[in-house]
Amino acid sequence: TQLLEQSPQFLSIQEGENLTVYCNSSSVFSSLQWYRQEPGEGPVLLVTVVTGGEVKKLKRLTFQFGDARKDSSLHITAAQPGDTGLYLCAVEYGNKLVFGAGTILRVKS
Amino acid sequence: NAGVTQTPKFQVLKTGQSMTLQCAQDMNHEYMSWYRQDPGMGLRLIHYSVGAGITDQGEVPNGYNVSRSTTEDFPLRLLSAAPSQTSVYFCASSYSRGTEYNSPLHFGNGTRLTVT
């Protein structure tokens, strides 16, 4: 059983559509990080959320941390082909960073 | 502005061979780690180090050894390669770990390893 469950596993949409991906757990965390990974590269941090109910915006990306700090969502408005990639959530677990399996997003032009 | 550098980028091994994946960072990070990435399984932690001279096991350590003799370098050794070790390997570093820090991990660009 994975500590973090991400859904959907795969999402293919047209340019201009909106989408939401989810990161869920039965455990409570003090913070949660979102990363994006492009093909052939390592993941890159997008944002860290630390407060229950927190909403952070990064241009067309909106990140929310659940009130109970067990889950998080990433909403993309008007997706562009440049948003294509693997989106990973991660949490601190002891002194390790544990990742979910990720959501593969493909945005077609 | 190198960040985390991994070598080689690609490697093919025969079953039973050994090799070392190299990782170096120039950001003076105390924390370094190795992950493997397999389809549908995300990133799984192999070994990590909170500082020079200190290493510990992650989720999937069997078949791998690490050492941390300097702050900059954290090599990963495959003792006797097996087809199950076919994967993409990522080295990552950060200033520190722990909930009070929330340090982002800085990743290298990975080594794609195939074991036949």
Side-chain angles (χ1 to χ4, degrees):
Chain A
T1 304
Q2 289 225 330
L3 186 64
L4 297 172
E5 298 287 341
Q6 289 193 245
S7 61
Q9 284 186 296
F10 181 76
L11 193 55
S12 180
I13 61 171
Q14 289 294 133
E15 183 176 2
E17 292 183 7
N18 301 332
L19 67 113
T20 303
V21 299
Y22 301 92
C23 176
N24 296 305
S25 177
S26 57
S27 300
V28 177
F29 300 105
S30 60
S31 66
L32 186 144
Q33 298 179 357
W34 283 95
Y35 290 77
R36 179 168 66 204
Q37 183 179 17
E38 298 186 19
E41 299 182 5
V44 176
L45 179 74
L46 293 173
V47 77
T48 301
V49 285
V50 298
T51 306
E54 180 178 6
V55 176
K56 279 192 174 179
K57 294 196 175 187
L58 192 65
K59 296 183 181 177
R60 295 175 294 99
L61 278 59
T62 301
F63 304 84
Q64 184 160 9
F65 201 15
D67 290 341
R69 291 184 284 122
K70 292 182 179 181
D71 53 78
S72 182
S73 63
L74 159 57
H75 181 79
I76 301 179
T77 303
Q80 299 177 359
D83 295 326
T84 292
L86 174 66
Y87 289 81
L88 295 155
C89 62
V91 292
E92 298 283 353
Y93 194 72
N95 56 358
K96 302 180 281 286
L97 197 63
V98 176
F99 286 83
T103 292
I104 298 171
L105 172 64
R106 180 183 168 205
V107 182
K108 295 175 285 188
S109 57
Chain B
N1 196 8
V4 178
T5 303
Q6 289 185 239
T7 56
K9 289 190 186 323
F10 301 95
Q11 183 70 50
V12 179
L13 291 178
K14 294 188 189 303
T15 297
Q17 287 185 316
S18 62
M19 79 159 294
T20 299
L21 308 186
Q22 301 291 344
C23 175
Q25 53 91 9
D26 62 358
M27 297 173 283
N28 202 30
H29 284 168
E30 289 296 320
Y31 184 92
M32 296 187 74
S33 55
W34 278 100
Y35 289 86
R36 59 178 288 174
Q37 186 172 38
D38 302 291
M41 302 190 75
L43 289 155
R44 292 183 292 167
L45 185 64
I46 305 171
H47 285 285
Y48 65 98
S49 169
V50 298
I54 305 168
T55 63
D56 208 342
Q57 296 182 346
E59 182 185 358
V60 288
N62 292 341
Y64 308 95
N65 271 1
V66 291
S67 59
R68 185 92 180 272
S69 56
T70 67
T71 298
E72 295 76 21
D73 300 297
F74 191 44
L76 177 72
R77 280 181 286 278
L78 279 70
L79 309 172
S80 177
S84 61
Q85 293 180 305
T86 293
S87 188
V88 181
Y89 291 85
F90 286 97
C91 179
S93 71
S94 67
Y95 283 111
S96 58
R97 286 258 60 86
T99 55
E100 66 271 34
Y101 298 112
N102 295 318
S103 301
L105 273 181
H106 297 261
F107 284 83
N109 282 333
T111 294
R112 185 174 294 275
L113 175 68
T114 302
V115 183
T116 61

